[in-house]
Amino acid sequence: MHSVMDKPIIQISDLDFWYGESQALFGVNVAIGPHRTTALIGPSGCGKSTLLRCLNRMNELIEQTRMTGQITMNGHDINAPDVDVIELRKRVGMVFQKSNPFPKSIFENVAYGLRIQGLKGAELEGRVERSLRKSALWDEAKDRLQESALQLSGGQQQRLCIARTIAVEPEVVLMDEPCSALDPTATSKIEELIQDLKQFYTIVIVTHNMQQAARCSDYTAFFYLGKLIEFDETTKIFTNPGHKQTEDYITGRFG
Amino acid sequence: MNDVAQLPESGVRDLPDAASIYVNVPDPVQSTERPIRPLTRRKRRPLEWLVEKAIFLVSLSAILLIFLIFAFVGKEALPVILGKTDNARLRKPVAAEEIPNISETQLAEYLGLKPGELKNYDADTLKLLVELKGQELAQIVDEDSRVNTTSWRMMFQPHQWADYDKPQYIWQPVSEVPKYNLVPLVIGSLKATLMALLFSVPLGVGAAIYVSQLASPRWREIIKPVIELLSGIPSVVLGFFALIVMATVLQNVFGYQSRLNTFVAGIALGLAVIPIIFTIAEDALTSVPKSYSQAALSLGASPGQAAWQVVLPAALPGVFAACVLGFGRAIGETMIVLMASGNASIVSGSILDSCRTMTATIAAELAEVVFGGNHYRILFVIGALLFLVTFVSNVIGDIVVHRLKGRLEGRT
C-alpha cells in the first residue's frame, strides 16, 4: 500500500457495531492517512455513516448501540475510559448531511466552537475570519456577518457549517454526505473546498455520488451490507476494482 | 474537475439502451376509449357535511359562551365603571315629603330593602321608615359618610379618611362607610403571582431542559409523569397542604412573623404552575431539531452547554409562551391564595407580609353581598379587571413570541 498508510492518523480494527439486536458493521478494518481524503461509498444502509459516526463517538447519542473492536487515533484508543469525549470531538469535527447552522448570526455560528473554548475579542474575530476565508465564504459573507445564518442559501449554509467545524482546528473532518441536499453548482464549490482543505486536515467523506468520490478522494472504501468489501487508492478502485461487487456498484448496476 | 474521465471506460459499457426498454409499452390514452366524465359533478357526502357543521356549531357556541360570560361580567360592573353609583347619596337624609319624588328603586336602596319588598308596606309605614332612617343618618356627623366610595377616584387613589393620619389605600367593603380601594388587591395579586413565577419558572424550565436534553431515558420516564401528575392535584388540596404543613415548616425554617403570607402562598401557587410551564417548555425543547444539539456536541460542547447555549435559545418562543400561560394560571388561581395568603388587604412590598388577591376577594365575598348592591358591582369590576389583565398579558405574550420567532428565523 501507499507509504502514508504506514503511519495512519486513524486506525479502525475489527469493528463490529450493533443497533439493538441488528448488526450494522462486521469486522471493519480501515486505516485513514493524514492529510488525505478518504471516501466511504456503498448503497444505502451499508453502514458507512455508522462508521463515520463511530470516529467522533456520535453514535453514543443513540440509545442501545454497542460496538466491539478498536479505533485508535494517533495510536490512542478513542474509546478508552480515560478519553474525554469532548476533547475527542474538538479534534474530530463533523459536517452533517443536512446543513444545520444554529439560528444565530453568521458570525456567532462560526464563533460558537471557539467561544466554548473561552476565546474572546480580536483573537476570536481573527479565527472566525480565517475559517470563513478557508471555507471560501468570506467574500460572500463579510458584509453580513451579523445577519441570521438562516438567510444564506443551502450551499452557503453548508459551507458555513464547514467553516464552523474547521474554526476549532480539528485534525480530522468527517463529512456525512455533505452535498446530498445541494444543487450541482453548490456541490462543485464544496468539492473544490474539500480539495483546498486537504492540505490542512484529514478528511473522511461519506458520499452516494460516485463521481464525487472519484473527484475528491485519495482513498476509497466500498461497503456492502455492513462489510468492507474493498479499500484502496481511489484511482485503483475506479479503474481496476478488485471485486466484482465493487465494479457492479461503481458502474451503476445496483445501489 | 467536473469531468468524469477518471471513471473507467467500463463504467457505461453494459448499460442497456434506454429506448429499448420503453418501446413496447402501450400508451393507455390511445389504446382504450374512455368516457369523458365531467369534473363539475359533486358527490354528496351527507355524513361528512353533518359532522363538519356539528363541529362548527360546537366551536361557535364555545366562542359565544366566552362572549356571554364577558358580557355578563361587564353588564354587572357597568354602573360602577360609568360612575352611575353613588353611595354617599344613601346617607343624605330624605324628608318624608319627598317620597313621591324619588323612584322606587332609590327608595328601596335608601331603606336597605329589596325593590320587591316595598309593596309589603303601606304609605304610612313607608313614611315612618323614612323618618326613622332620617333620624338615624342625622346622628352621623362623620366626614367619611359624605364620600361616594364607589367612584373611580376612590377605587384607585388613596384617600384621607377621618381616623387616619395620612391618605391610605383601603379595602373594607363591610365597614360603616364601605371602602372599595382596589389597589391593595391588585398589589396582592401581582405579589403572589410574581412570587409564584420566581419559584416556578426556574424549576419548571430547568426540569424541562433536564428531561428533554440531559436525562437518561429511564429518568425521563420517571420525572416527566411525576411532574405532570402535579397538575392533577386539586388546588384545594394544594392550598390545604400549604395552610397546614408548608406554612408551619417555612415559618420554622425562616423565622418570619406572620405564618400565612405571600411567600407561602407564592410557593404553593408555584407548585400549581410548575406542571404547566414544564409541560409546554418540554414540548418546545423537544421539538428543537436534534441537528442543533448534534452540531454543538460535534464542536466540542458538553451536553449542558449544548442544551443551555443552543437548544434553549432555539426553543425560547415556546418557553416564553409557557411562562405566559403560567402567569395566567397564577393570577387566576383562587383556592390556593385564599387558603394560604392570610388575606389581609394591606399595601406592602414585602413578600413576608400577608396579601389579599383579587380572585380570593371575589371568592370570599361574592356569596355574602346584596345582589345588585355596590359591593356586588365592585366585585364584578374586579372580575372584569382580572379578565383584562389576562387578556392583555396574552396579547403581549403573543407579540413577544412572534418577535422571538422572527428573530430565530432570521426575519428582521
Side-chain angles (χ1 to χ4, degrees):
Chain A
M1 221 174 251
H2 202 277
S3 60
V4 293
M5 281 320 200
D6 298 341
K7 221 172 173 328
I9 182 165
I10 291 179
Q11 175 76 51
I12 302 162
S13 324
D14 299 324
L15 187 72
D16 291 327
F17 192 87
W18 287 265
Y19 291 104
E21 288 304 304
S22 70
Q23 191 167 357
L25 290 174
F26 298 83
V28 173
N29 289 288
V30 179
I32 290 165
H35 295 281
R36 292 290 180 278
T37 302
T38 305
L40 310 181
I41 62 170
S44 298
C46 70
K48 54 196 188 303
S49 290
T50 303
L51 179 66
L52 196 73
R53 286 199 308 270
C54 281
L55 301 182
N56 64 348
R57 290 174 58 182
M58 287 300 269
N59 277 331
E60 286 174 8
L61 304 175
I62 304 167
E63 282 148 28
Q64 294 185 327
T65 55
R66 81 197 148 90
M67 61 162 277
T68 61
Q70 200 183 39
I71 301 171
T72 59
M73 183 176 173
N74 297 326
H76 199 106
D77 182 0
I78 65 165
N79 290 298
D82 63 333
V83 168
D84 180 7
V85 67
I86 287 166
E87 201 50 46
L88 171 73
R89 287 178 189 151
K90 282 178 191 162
R91 304 260 194 87
V92 185
M94 186 163 198
V95 177
F96 295 83
Q97 181 170 6
K98 200 167 164 290
S99 61
N100 55 354
F102 301 128
K104 299 173 190 256
S105 69
I106 294 172
F107 182 87
E108 283 305 321
N109 261 280
V110 184
Y112 181 77
L114 301 168
R115 280 196 198 279
I116 55 181
Q117 293 184 15
L119 257 65
K120 283 192 193 90
E123 195 187 352
L124 178 76
E125 283 170 28
R127 292 274 291 269
V128 169
E129 180 179 337
R130 189 144 35 105
S131 308
L132 284 169
R133 281 189 193 281
K134 268 192 198 168
S135 53
L137 198 60
W138 178 251
D139 291 334
E140 292 154 76
K142 63 172 185 255
D143 298 324
R144 43 196 293 209
L145 289 176
Q146 297 311 321
E147 275 179 41
S148 167
L150 302 177
Q151 302 276 42
L152 296 171
S153 72
Q156 288 172 326
Q157 286 190 11
Q158 193 61 295
R159 275 182 283 149
L160 180 68
C161 291
I162 293 174
R164 181 176 69 182
T165 305
I166 61 180
V168 294
E169 293 294 342
E171 290 171 48
V172 182
V173 177
L174 309 175
M175 297 188 175
D176 191 356
E177 296 181 44
C179 305
S180 66
L182 302 180
D183 66 38
T185 322
T187 301
S188 78
K189 276 199 172 155
I190 299 232
E191 285 179 12
E192 279 172 37
L193 181 57
I194 291 170
Q195 294 285 13
D196 293 343
L197 291 178
K198 206 167 73 177
Q199 51 178 314
F200 308 106
Y201 311 102
T202 303
I203 296 172
V204 185
I205 178 170
V206 164
T207 178
H208 265 126
N209 183 332
M210 288 318 109
Q211 286 91 332
Q212 186 169 68
R215 283 191 296 261
C216 304
S217 67
D218 304 310
Y219 291 89
T220 297
F222 171 64
F223 288 85
Y224 185 60
L225 297 178
K227 295 191 179 78
L228 177 67
I229 305 297
E230 196 169 349
F231 175 59
D232 213 324
E233 286 176 40
T234 300
T235 41
K236 172 140 191 315
I237 293 260
F238 279 90
T239 51
N240 187 17
H243 288 255
K244 180 81 172 67
Q245 275 169 321
T246 316
E247 188 184 350
D248 286 350
Y249 183 70
I250 60 174
T251 55
R253 226 163 301 175
F254 79 98
Chain B
M1 171 99 179
N2 284 335
D3 63 8
V4 287
Q6 290 175 27
L7 272 179
E9 289 298 317
S10 62
V12 286
R13 183 179 48 193
D14 295 326
L15 276 183
D17 182 19
S20 68
I21 303 174
Y22 297 110
V23 81
N24 287 327
V25 180
D27 187 335
V29 178
Q30 284 178 358
S31 60
T32 51
E33 298 235 338
R34 263 199 226 176
I36 295 165
R37 284 182 299 180
L39 284 167
T40 49
R41 206 183 66 192
R42 287 181 62 179
K43 240 188 198 167
R44 286 193 189 82
R45 301 180 180 86
L47 193 71
E48 207 171 291
W49 181 86
L50 212 69
V51 168
E52 190 200 313
K53 294 297 173 222
I55 291 171
F56 174 70
L57 219 64
V58 168
S59 48
L60 199 70
S61 63
I63 295 170
L64 206 69
L65 200 68
I66 291 172
F67 181 75
L68 278 178
I69 293 173
F70 189 65
F72 173 70
V73 172
K75 189 189 113 243
E76 296 296 303
L78 208 58
V80 174
I81 291 172
L82 295 178
K84 289 203 170 138
T85 52
D86 184 357
N87 59 2
R89 177 178 50 78
L90 299 176
R91 289 180 226 101
K92 281 183 198 131
V94 176
E97 299 77 51
E98 288 175 47
I99 291 177
N101 299 339
I102 53 180
S103 75
E104 271 193 16
T105 16
Q106 280 181 337
L107 187 63
E109 214 179 344
Y110 176 68
L111 295 173
L113 300 170
K114 286 175 186 157
E117 288 177 328
L118 229 46
K119 294 189 208 83
N120 302 339
Y121 305 101
D122 56 30
D124 287 339
T125 324
L126 274 180
K127 207 172 156 187
L128 195 68
L129 282 172
V130 169
E131 274 168 4
L132 278 173
K133 183 78 181 179
Q135 285 168 17
E136 187 192 317
L137 289 175
Q139 286 171 359
I140 306 172
V141 284
D142 197 342
E143 262 308 300
D144 290 354
S145 62
R146 310 272 179 259
V147 183
N148 174 17
T149 56
T150 62
S151 65
W152 278 102
R153 207 197 70 75
M154 296 302 290
M155 281 195 288
F156 290 101
Q157 283 178 15
H159 181 71
Q160 174 70 60
W161 298 99
D163 293 339
Y164 294 81
D165 46 5
K166 62 174 188 202
Q168 295 269 24
Y169 302 95
I170 298 173
W171 173 263
Q172 273 173 9
V174 286
S175 59
E176 180 70 33
V177 176
K179 302 177 183 73
Y180 297 124
N181 200 294
L182 302 184
V183 172
L185 311 182
V186 174
I187 288 178
S189 269
L190 291 182
K191 231 163 67 172
T193 304
L194 212 68
M195 180 65 220
L197 289 182
L198 276 178
F199 176 66
S200 59
V201 168
L203 280 180
V205 174
I209 292 175
Y210 179 73
V211 166
S212 71
Q213 303 297 319
L214 307 173
S216 69
R218 233 186 89 192
W219 276 108
R220 188 180 314 144
E221 291 314 309
I222 296 171
I223 297 172
K224 206 178 153 180
V226 167
I227 295 181
E228 284 168 357
L229 204 70
L230 255 181
S231 68
I233 299 178
S235 56
V236 67
V237 176
L238 268 178
F240 178 78
F241 176 72
L243 177 68
I244 303 295
V245 184
M246 270 169 52
T248 310
V249 171
L250 288 174
Q251 192 181 30
N252 288 342
V253 172
F254 295 102
Y256 46 70
Q257 202 167 24
S258 54
R259 185 171 166 275
L260 295 178
N261 56 32
T262 317
F263 180 62
V264 177
I267 287 184
L269 208 51
L271 287 180
V273 173
I274 282 174
I276 294 175
I277 294 184
F278 170 81
T279 308
I280 297 167
E282 204 260 344
D283 272 357
L285 288 161
T286 308
S287 60
V288 170
K290 286 272 172 292
S291 63
Y292 288 177
S293 58
Q294 281 190 5
L297 291 173
S298 78
L299 289 170
S302 69
Q305 284 173 324
W308 183 253
Q309 296 166 345
V310 174
V311 180
L312 183 64
L316 209 55
V319 172
F320 184 79
C323 297
V324 171
L325 272 171
F327 171 84
R329 167 81 204 261
I331 205 160
E333 172 56 48
T334 308
M335 198 41 92
I336 293 172
V337 283
L338 184 64
M339 294 171 87
S341 69
N343 283 316
S345 57
I346 48 177
V347 176
S348 151
S350 166
I351 56 159
L352 295 179
D353 280 330
S354 171
C355 72
R356 187 182 186 90
T357 67
M358 300 197 275
T359 50
T361 304
I362 296 176
E365 296 174 11
L366 193 56
E368 291 162 23
V369 296
V370 178
F371 269 54
N374 289 323
H375 188 188
Y376 169 90
R377 298 213 182 280
I378 288 195
L379 290 182
F380 274 92
V381 171
I382 298 175
L385 202 62
L386 269 174
F387 209 101
L388 202 73
V389 168
T390 326
F391 180 73
V392 168
S393 80
N394 280 357
V395 169
I396 292 174
D398 219 48
I399 293 170
V400 173
V401 167
H402 201 73
R403 286 255 173 94
L404 287 173
K405 262 191 193 154
R407 212 163 63 188
L408 275 184
E409 285 158 16
R411 284 182 272 120
T412 40

